[in-house]
Amino acid sequence: MKNLKLKSARALKDLSQDELAKIVGVSRQTINAIEKGDYNPSINLCISICKALNLKLDNLFWPEE
């Protein structure tokens, strides 16, 4: 499932995939794969992304019911 919440939150912070990747210590391809739903990140990576975007885990990584 695509993670459009991550893509939107990244865009609101005016960060490219590459910039976010550098902040959290992964490749741009990893961020791209997460946004496309092709990669399930570890909990530690999820936390790093949330800290970088100043959001909570459930804002980005829990599906809405």
Side-chain angles (χ1 to χ4, degrees):
M1 180 164 68
K2 288 187 179 185
N3 193 331
L4 299 178
K5 292 189 274 185
L6 172 56
K7 186 174 185 175
S8 175
R10 179 179 56 74
L12 284 173
K13 291 282 186 180
D14 199 30
L15 292 171
S16 68
Q17 288 181 343
D18 191 54
E19 290 168 328
L20 179 58
K22 287 178 182 173
I23 292 169
V24 300
V26 298
S27 69
R28 181 204 57 80
Q29 290 86 350
T30 298
I31 299 299
N32 183 52
I34 294 168
E35 289 182 358
K36 287 175 35 181
D38 293 340
Y39 179 73
N40 189 15
S42 70
I43 190 67
N44 288 333
L45 180 52
C46 291
I47 290 168
S48 294
I49 291 170
C50 287
K51 285 182 180 179
L53 297 174
N54 199 29
L55 294 170
K56 295 181 180 182
L57 282 170
D58 57 347
N59 295 125
L60 291 180
F61 294 103
W62 265 258
E64 295 180 22
E65 296 180 31

